[in-house]
Amino acid sequence: MTDRSFLTAIALGLALLWPAALPAQTLRTPGGLTLPSATAPAADNRTADYIVALVNSEPVTNHEVRQRLRQVEQNIAQRNITNAPPRAVLMRQVLEQLINERAQLHLARESGVRVSDAEIDQAEQNIAAQNSLSQEEFRRRLRSEGYDLNRFRDELRQQLLLQRLREREVDSRVRVTDADIDEFQREQRGASGAENLELNLSHVLVLVPENASEAVVAERQARAQRVADRARAGEDFAVLAREFSDAAERANGGEFGWRAASRLPDLFVTSTRNLPAGAIAGPLRSPAGFHVLKVNDKRQAGMPSMSVTQTRASHILLRPSAQLTPEAAIARLSDFRQRITAGTASFEALARENSQDGSAANGGSLGWALPGQFVPEFEDTMSRLRPGEVSEPIVSRFGVHLIRVDERRNVQLDEKQQRERLRMVVREQKLREATELWARDVRSRAYVEMREDPQP
């Protein structure tokens, strides 16, 4: 482990089991899909335990509510969320979440949904590998931290059951037609006024001191003009910002990130609103000095960005089998990584000799990829790598990977790609709505008896 607690590391590993559209850690997720509650030590104090609710004759205890609440509060602290509800409200939400889970688990059992021991083993191995541990090391660490392994696996089984039930009952039934996409576009165009404009800008500020002489003003303007000229010639704007900008965001390469037009100076909005992505504006004069702006992207609120950062990556894939355990695959790829970083072997040669997928013939190259093209565990690791950097071994549903990012670039999506991106947005909306309706229906058909209020 690095700077994360073991509890957080387990939670992050378990989160990989859930679709990105409905994060496992989100309290308000329809249907109550959450991280397993068995990630708290079994030795926790239970003197205040009692039944707070019955769901189809199954109890929800005060201890379970407290345990889940503690985990939620840890996630809130880790994410630096400042607008979280009061603790009493969180507790009620947690209780409702647990009730929803009980009702859905009851439905899963009645419907014959099953998760095998082999699937639990594989999920546990994946979590262990994501935390750079073998399965046995992971179990030893659980025991040393006071966790009950059997209960952990039982809760993991329940979460997999919930996932499988949701996929069968909701995900498989959600369809997005071309007419749905057209309707979404019409709705967004109807809200396309300036008040809905969002801009992603980068900025270089060349300060002009108060009461500066004409000579100083001219010198600062010339400096800003050189920045603008170099940016228009294709130089990296982030590098220029770090070198020349006097603004606070210079450390971020001058990037503001996405902001509503209403939260930006009028000077910035009027000079960039009609420019395409990638264009440079300025130098622009303000009381503070001279500004050079780059339009990274623009969109209407509610619409996804139509320019994306593509990544060209390579990987080496080993598929666990009867002859190659996941632990052995991780160890082999760790050795490859050491040899690559030491310069004693090339990534391409090792990929050609060892990788177990079609990219091996190309030295592991996967070509240019759009966001969302790979499975979440692969994509998450890839997104954190700098060009030229090689990852630690990571586990996905396809096997164990060693990933190298070769290059990144910003591109505008073509018409077909734009529609596919809109299709994903519309599907996420429909999925949220369908899941909420389904969860309410399951909850309404369950017998729920509220007993005593939970206590912290």
Side-chain angles (χ1 to χ4, degrees):
M1 299 292 149
T2 55
D3 59 341
R4 296 182 302 182
S5 69
F6 190 56
L7 173 62
T8 302
I10 293 172
L12 291 176
L14 290 167
L16 295 174
L17 298 171
W18 295 99
L22 294 171
Q25 301 94 328
T26 302
L27 258 182
R28 298 181 184 275
T29 297
L33 305 180
T34 77
L35 295 176
S37 60
T39 52
D44 192 47
N45 179 15
R46 302 193 182 194
T47 57
D49 203 14
Y50 53 89
I51 295 174
V52 297
L54 287 174
V55 185
N56 294 322
S57 77
E58 293 188 25
V60 177
T61 67
N62 188 59
H63 171 73
E64 291 176 288
V65 176
R66 292 171 57 211
Q67 186 172 275
R68 180 68 63 80
L69 178 64
R70 182 167 55 248
Q71 187 177 2
V72 167
E73 290 176 331
Q74 287 173 340
N75 286 333
I76 288 172
Q78 182 189 7
R79 296 178 178 192
N80 296 316
I81 297 173
T82 58
N83 60 343
R87 197 163 195 254
V89 175
L90 283 176
M91 180 169 284
R92 289 196 297 272
Q93 292 176 343
V94 162
L95 174 58
E96 187 63 25
Q97 190 177 54
L98 289 168
I99 290 171
N100 285 341
E101 286 180 12
R102 289 288 198 281
Q104 291 170 26
L105 286 168
H106 181 80
L107 175 61
R109 287 190 290 269
E110 284 192 332
S111 304
V113 179
R114 298 287 184 270
V115 175
S116 68
D117 289 342
E119 290 172 301
I120 300 300
D121 287 338
Q122 186 59 58
E124 187 183 337
Q125 290 172 6
N126 289 348
I127 296 167
Q130 290 294 336
N131 292 286
S132 302
L133 297 170
S134 69
Q135 187 175 18
E136 190 52 44
E137 288 171 334
F138 178 74
R139 290 181 173 184
R140 284 199 299 269
R141 188 67 178 270
L142 280 175
R143 295 187 190 101
S144 70
E145 297 284 342
Y147 293 84
D148 184 297
L149 178 60
N150 289 331
R151 188 176 178 194
F152 177 85
R153 287 174 61 84
D154 286 344
E155 291 287 341
L156 183 55
R157 184 188 302 276
Q158 290 182 6
Q159 291 297 303
L160 288 169
L161 279 170
L162 289 173
Q163 177 180 315
R164 189 147 308 162
L165 178 69
R166 176 181 169 274
E167 289 171 350
R168 191 187 74 177
E169 297 285 322
V170 183
D171 295 25
S172 63
R173 301 178 184 178
V174 172
R175 297 287 183 269
V176 179
T177 66
D178 288 340
D180 292 329
I181 298 173
D182 293 338
E183 177 63 23
F184 178 77
Q185 287 180 304
R186 282 193 294 271
E187 291 175 355
Q188 295 305 314
R189 280 196 292 268
S192 61
E195 67 276 9
N196 294 306
L197 178 65
E198 294 181 349
L199 295 167
N200 185 335
L201 303 178
S202 290
H203 173 228
V204 169
L205 167 64
V206 178
L207 279 174
V208 175
E210 290 187 33
N211 303 317
S213 66
E214 291 184 5
V216 170
V217 172
E219 184 273 326
R220 300 299 168 88
Q221 183 175 8
R223 187 189 306 177
Q225 186 63 57
R226 287 194 296 273
V227 171
D229 291 343
R230 291 170 63 175
R232 290 187 175 102
E235 290 195 36
D236 189 323
F237 197 92
V239 173
L240 293 171
R242 292 188 184 99
E243 183 177 353
F244 294 103
S245 184
D246 296 314
E249 63 274 1
R250 63 179 295 176
N252 298 324
E255 186 170 351
F256 288 123
W258 283 107
R259 292 191 185 180
S262 59
R263 294 179 54 215
L264 290 166
D266 289 343
L267 176 66
F268 290 9
V269 176
T270 55
S271 61
T272 60
R273 63 184 304 169
N274 295 320
L275 295 180
I280 304 297
L284 309 169
R285 184 69 162 98
S286 82
F290 292 96
H291 307 263
V292 180
L293 302 171
K294 179 181 179 181
V295 181
N296 299 314
D297 206 352
K298 59 202 308 187
R299 67 188 182 195
Q300 293 296 321
M303 288 286 284
S305 169
M306 291 307 172
S307 71
V308 295
T309 299
Q310 284 186 318
T311 301
R312 185 168 62 84
S314 301
H315 82 146
I316 301 172
L317 172 67
L318 299 181
R319 301 182 189 274
S321 63
Q323 294 75 36
L324 182 69
T325 66
E327 293 84 359
I330 291 169
R332 186 180 299 179
L333 289 175
S334 294
D335 175 65
F336 289 175
R337 184 177 186 275
Q338 290 179 351
R339 291 162 61 187
I340 292 166
T341 55
T344 59
S346 76
F347 193 104
E348 290 76 10
L350 289 172
R352 291 189 186 97
E353 295 167 6
N354 299 280
S355 191
Q356 296 174 318
D357 80 343
S359 68
N362 297 320
S365 177
L366 297 169
W368 288 103
L370 293 167
Q373 191 166 322
F374 300 119
V375 293
E377 49 269 41
F378 187 102
E379 187 115 5
D380 182 59
T381 298
M382 183 182 72
S383 67
R384 294 196 301 266
L385 295 174
R386 297 184 298 273
E389 189 175 4
V390 179
S391 73
E392 298 286 348
I394 70 109
V395 178
S396 81
R397 70 194 68 170
F398 299 109
V400 187
H401 310 256
L402 202 63
I403 307 170
R404 183 186 69 190
V405 167
D406 301 313
E407 191 178 356
R408 286 196 173 93
R409 69 184 181 188
N410 289 322
V411 297
Q412 286 291 119
L413 299 177
D414 60 31
E415 185 175 352
K416 181 179 178 181
Q417 292 169 331
Q418 289 182 21
R419 284 190 69 83
E420 284 307 306
R421 171 155 284 204
L422 291 176
R423 187 181 301 276
M424 292 171 61
V425 172
V426 174
R427 176 176 169 77
E428 288 181 7
Q429 288 184 353
K430 296 183 88 172
L431 187 59
R432 283 193 295 270
E433 293 167 0
T435 301
E436 184 173 355
L437 290 173
W438 171 77
R440 288 176 181 172
D441 180 60
V442 174
R443 171 73 158 79
S444 69
R445 289 187 280 117
Y447 171 76
V448 178
E449 178 185 336
M450 305 302 291
R451 292 287 186 88
E452 299 183 51
D453 291 336
Q455 298 295 327

